[in-house]
């Protein structure tokens, strides 16, 4: 049986003081003996504050992005060894927002090219993370337009194929995949339970072919997109959904603890 995993993606929210206060309340609200694996991915600058509060608890800390080169003249970038040094055990890769695919666009459409992650950069980041023993959380998912054109499975299959070039089953044993339909992110629209389960099952089938069957059966596949206390339990009860990648609802410790309760 796969252990449920619930990850909070704080995105670009929380100062260090707010981060510290949020996780201090979270550790009060969530039983450390919970059967659910719990992690928070804060912005880079508050990673240290969260690591300090989580020290001595089973809760883990992840990053939201990374650069694949080990060091050098890469202004604005953060390496895998810096993440490991700061205490990160996980890292999100290929989030639709870093790929420039937004469910709710809050920047002008002309500036979206700034967020230009591709399947190739996703692949480089995964390799760099695995070399540092940081577990990647690979995000895949379709836009509303792609869904309406009946291309959901094709888009996800291509994202998976691109992400796993040169990666073996043994490499990705501890890795995670998240299905995040772009149209359900930050929009309040959740993918229906049966469809979210179907797509997570489709992802597992692809992983069987790309990696191998036993690895595919052990990898946690999360659902993300408007997960909240009111829908978490039903989503996480689906057989192919092994937990959630939670944005908005992870910012409030009470809401996030209820989502964890749902798992
Ligand atoms: P929301 O939960 O705010 O829809 O965000 C989901 C997400 O993108 C998590 O990575």
């Amino acid at each position: 049986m796969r252990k449920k995993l619930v990850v909070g993606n704080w995105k670009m929210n929380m100062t260090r003081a707010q981060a510290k206060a949020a996780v201090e309340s979270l550790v009060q609200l969530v039983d450390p003996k919970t059967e659910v694996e719990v992690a928070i991915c804060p912005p880079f600058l508050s990673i240290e504050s969260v690591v300090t509060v989580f020290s001595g608890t089973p809760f883990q800390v992840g990053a939201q992005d990374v650069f694949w080169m080990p060091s050098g003249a890469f202004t604005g970038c953060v390496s895998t060894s810096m993440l490991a040094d700061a205490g990160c055990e996980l890292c999100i890769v290929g989030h639709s927002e870093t790929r420039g695919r937004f469910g709710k666009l809050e920047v002008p459409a002309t500036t979206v090219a700034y967020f230009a992650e591709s399947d190739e950069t996703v692949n480089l980041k995964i390799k760099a993370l695995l070399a540092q023993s940081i577990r990647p959380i690979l995000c895949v998912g379709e836009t509303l337009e792609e869904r309406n054109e009946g291309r959901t499975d094709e888009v996800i299959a291509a994202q998976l194929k691109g992400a796993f070039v040169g990666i073996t089953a043994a490499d990705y044993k501890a890795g995670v995949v998240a299905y995040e339909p772009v149209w359900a992110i930050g929009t309040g629209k959740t993918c229906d339970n049966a469809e979210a389960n179907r797509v997570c099952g489709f992802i597992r089938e692809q992983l069987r072919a790309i990696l191998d069957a036993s690895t595919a059966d052990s990898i946690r596949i999360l659902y993300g997109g408007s997960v909240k206390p009111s829908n978490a339990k039903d989503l996480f009860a689906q057989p192919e959904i092994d937990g959630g990648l939670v944005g908005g609802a992870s910012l409030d410790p009470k809401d996030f603890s209820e989502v964890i309760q749902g798992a």
Side-chain angles (χ1 to χ4, degrees), residues 7-11 92 95-97 139 178 180-181 184-189 223-228 244-250:
V7 181
N9 174 9
W10 280 357
K11 308 191 177 183
I92 294 170
H95 193 281
S96 54
E97 287 153 11
C139 301
E180 295 213 318
I185 296 178
T187 57
K189 290 186 201 129
Y223 168 79
S226 299
V227 175
K228 44 192 176 241
L245 183 55
V246 187
S250 71

Side-chain angles (χ1 to χ4, degrees), residues 16 28-29 36 49 68 94 102 111 118 124 136 143 159 207 235 243:
R16 287 177 303 161
Q28 297 302 316
L29 290 163
V36 180
S49 313
W68 59 86
F102 288 84
T111 49
S118 65
L124 290 167
T143 61
Q159 288 173 336
L207 295 179
L235 278 163

Side-chain angles (χ1 to χ4, degrees), residues 95-261:
H95 193 281
S96 54
E97 287 153 11
T98 54
R99 292 180 194 252
R101 290 152 60 84
F102 288 84
K104 191 175 76 178
L105 194 58
E106 288 178 343
V107 295
T110 47
T111 49
V112 155
Y114 173 82
F115 306 90
E117 180 144 43
S118 65
D119 290 334
E120 196 179 341
T121 62
V122 166
N123 176 253
L124 290 167
K125 290 176 183 185
I126 293 177
K127 285 176 176 156
L129 288 166
L130 293 172
Q132 190 69 51
S133 301
I134 296 177
R135 295 154 64 204
I137 304 174
L138 165 67
C139 301
V140 295
E142 80 290 359
T143 61
L144 187 58
E145 195 182 7
E146 289 160 349
R147 171 160 286 267
N148 289 341
E149 288 167 355
R151 296 177 51 224
T152 298
D153 294 6
E154 172 200 325
V155 167
I156 291 171
Q159 288 173 336
L160 291 168
K161 189 165 173 250
F164 284 110
V165 170
I167 291 165
T168 66
D171 295 334
Y172 211 76
K173 270 213 153 25
V176 177
V177 177
Y179 169 50
E180 295 213 318
V182 179
W183 49 271
I185 296 178
T187 57
K189 290 186 201 129
T190 318
C191 185
D192 149 297
N193 296 338
E195 176 61 5
N197 186 60
R198 184 196 73 77
V199 179
C200 290
F202 172 76
I203 291 171
R204 202 174 304 283
E205 278 306 312
Q206 298 297 303
L207 295 179
R208 277 180 216 276
I210 298 171
L211 302 171
D212 65 34
S214 73
T215 306
D217 285 340
S218 69
I219 286 178
R220 260 79 61 81
I221 302 180
L222 313 181
Y223 168 79
S226 299
V227 175
K228 44 192 176 241
S230 59
N231 60 20
K233 189 162 179 247
D234 289 342
L235 278 163
F236 300 160
Q238 304 297 312
E240 292 293 350
I241 301 180
D242 305 318
L245 183 55
V246 187
S250 71
L251 298 173
D252 180 295
K254 185 168 172 292
D255 283 354
F256 192 51
S257 69
E258 286 171 20
V259 168
I260 296 165
Q261 193 68 40

Side-chain angles (χ1 to χ4, degrees), residues 5 37-41 50 54 57-62 89-90 135:
L5 167 65
E37 203 178 323
V38 176
I40 293 277
C41 299
V50 176
F54 279 178
T57 76
F59 309 131
Q60 300 168 56
V61 183
E89 295 178 70
L90 296 148
R135 295 154 64 204

